[in-house]
Amino acid sequence: MRTLAVLRFIRCKTVPAILLAGLAAFACVTAPALAQTAFPNRTIRIFTQFPPGAVSDISLRILADRAGARLGTQIIVQNQPSAAGVTAAREALASPADGYTLAMLSNATAVSAATYKKMPFDPLTDFVAVSGMSDFAYLFLTNYGSSLHSLQDFLSQAKDKPGQLNVGTSAAGTTPYLTALLFKKAAGVDFAIVPYKGAPDLTVALLRNDIDVAINAYGGYREALTDKKLRALATTTVKRSVFLPDVQTTAEAGVTNFEVSSWNGIFAPAQTPAPIVDRLAQAFHDALGEPDLKQKFLDLGIEPWSGSAMELSARMKAEIARWNKVVDDNEIERQ
């Protein structure tokens, strides 16, 4: 508005046309910059593949609230659960790449990219990474009354009785299922993999001794571990879990070429302007550094991960390559 007023004033003073042209060009150049500095000026949406009430959903809503406060706007979470997170990704990609529509992608996205013949979107080219969000280890779990007291016990029995021990995971094609396949090769042992629907079914199976060991994330088993109904044999990460500091890692148990963790991150459509991506990244990064947010995440059984856009992008690429190899090595038919 100030630029237009100057132009009107100049016209009244009959300034040379060349100067008017220069001022008009200046107005055209500065308009986009002014528009970018105004971001955000309305509500931002984040689409997620996880259903309402899931740990990933709850933690995303906590983060959205804090990041929105830092940006001076509201960030709302919209749940679009579907196979491979296709619906959530499509919703995000169907909107203008202006920073007002984002998606939460995860290790499950990388797994889907490896287990599907062709996804309707490419997480590496259709999206640009904004910020890490959360990270969590998987556990090897057993019944508290089991004769297995360590991962070494499990490995010893698996070597003595090839194919006879039963390891429960979530459904075929999920990260825990592929983790079990990856562990087989890394540890050089054989066991039967028994897929279940989720954590509640796995807990029941362990309590009834239907399976010897289960592989899944910590969050669904906190109460059973605290009540000494289940025992954690090992965690799948390089470092010990903050939740179970006394439980060894798989590397400490002797399987040194194996490490798995799951994660969630914030992404934007690929053509989103870099200054807007940077503004969003800073808000999410700062929110993840808030002590009370960290505690809320820990209370949910996950760790905050404020990975940079570069780290998040590299992680997605590496995970897709890793799970593609697992699928190929085990001759799994892609969906």
Side-chain angles (χ1 to χ4, degrees):
M1 294 300 295
R2 294 179 64 184
T3 303
L4 292 175
V6 170
L7 287 173
R8 292 192 187 99
F9 173 78
I10 291 173
R11 286 194 182 96
C12 292
K13 297 297 183 179
T14 62
V15 174
I18 189 169
L19 181 56
L20 284 173
L23 286 168
F26 171 76
C28 292
V29 170
T30 56
L34 290 172
Q36 283 189 10
T37 57
F39 176 87
N41 55 25
R42 54 188 171 87
T43 299
I44 296 171
R45 298 178 298 165
I46 303 179
F47 287 96
T48 172
Q49 71 185 79
F50 296 101
V55 169
S56 292
D57 170 67
I58 296 171
S59 53
L60 177 59
R61 291 176 185 276
I62 294 170
L63 176 59
D65 183 61
R66 302 303 178 82
R70 290 179 174 277
L71 289 166
T73 192
Q74 183 182 22
I75 301 179
I76 62 173
V77 174
Q78 295 191 305
N79 305 88
Q80 294 287 348
S82 65
V86 169
T87 304
R90 277 179 168 169
E91 288 284 356
L93 294 173
S95 302
D98 55 9
Y100 289 99
T101 306
L102 309 173
M104 185 180 81
L105 305 183
S106 67
N107 185 66
T109 309
V111 168
S112 296
T115 55
Y116 278 71
K117 290 178 182 177
K118 184 170 179 59
M119 294 264 282
F121 70 96
D122 186 334
L124 297 178
T125 59
D126 291 335
F127 285 96
V128 60
V130 176
S131 171
M133 175 184 153
S134 57
D135 197 354
F136 44 98
Y138 288 106
L139 305 177
F140 285 78
L141 299 149
T142 191
N143 188 308
Y144 197 82
S146 168
S147 62
L148 302 174
H149 291 271
S150 66
L151 191 62
Q152 288 95 332
D153 289 343
F154 170 76
L155 293 171
S156 178
Q157 288 194 28
K159 289 175 181 177
D160 291 342
K161 305 173 184 178
Q164 293 186 36
L165 293 182
N166 293 321
V167 174
T169 70
S170 50
T174 60
T175 304
Y177 181 86
L178 296 181
T179 296
L181 291 172
L182 185 64
F183 184 77
K184 266 189 177 187
K185 184 173 183 179
V189 295
D190 186 28
F191 49 79
I193 301 176
V194 185
Y196 288 83
K197 289 182 179 180
D201 293 330
L202 279 169
T203 301
V204 172
L206 282 173
L207 293 175
R208 296 194 314 195
N209 291 311
D210 293 338
I211 54 177
D212 300 290
V213 168
I215 299 175
N216 217 325
Y218 166 77
Y221 304 92
R222 286 180 298 166
E223 186 176 343
L225 288 165
T226 301
D227 294 343
K228 296 188 182 301
K229 293 179 179 178
L230 300 180
R231 175 186 294 117
L233 300 177
T235 63
T236 63
T237 45
V238 173
K239 296 180 180 179
R240 292 195 176 195
S241 168
V242 296
F243 305 107
L244 301 166
D246 296 330
V247 176
Q248 65 181 181
T249 66
T250 49
E252 290 173 327
V255 187
T256 56
N257 56 339
F258 172 86
E259 181 270 327
V260 175
S261 64
S262 197
W263 49 270
N264 295 322
I266 308 299
F267 290 75
Q271 301 306 314
T272 305
I276 290 178
V277 172
D278 292 342
R279 181 87 188 276
L280 289 165
Q282 190 64 56
F284 285 114
H285 181 273
D286 291 346
L288 287 162
E290 296 178 13
D292 60 331
L293 180 143
K294 289 182 178 180
Q295 188 57 54
K296 286 180 182 294
F297 272 38
L298 293 174
D299 290 343
L300 290 168
I302 59 175
E303 297 183 55
W305 174 51
S306 56
S308 68
M310 185 178 296
E311 291 171 326
L312 178 58
S313 180
R315 195 166 187 178
M316 176 67 83
K317 185 175 181 179
E319 291 293 288
I320 291 174
R322 179 222 287 261
W323 299 123
N324 263 303
K325 188 174 188 312
V326 173
V327 170
D328 290 339
D329 288 348
N330 290 276
E331 298 181 347
I332 298 172
E333 184 177 355
R334 288 177 169 83
Q335 303 177 47

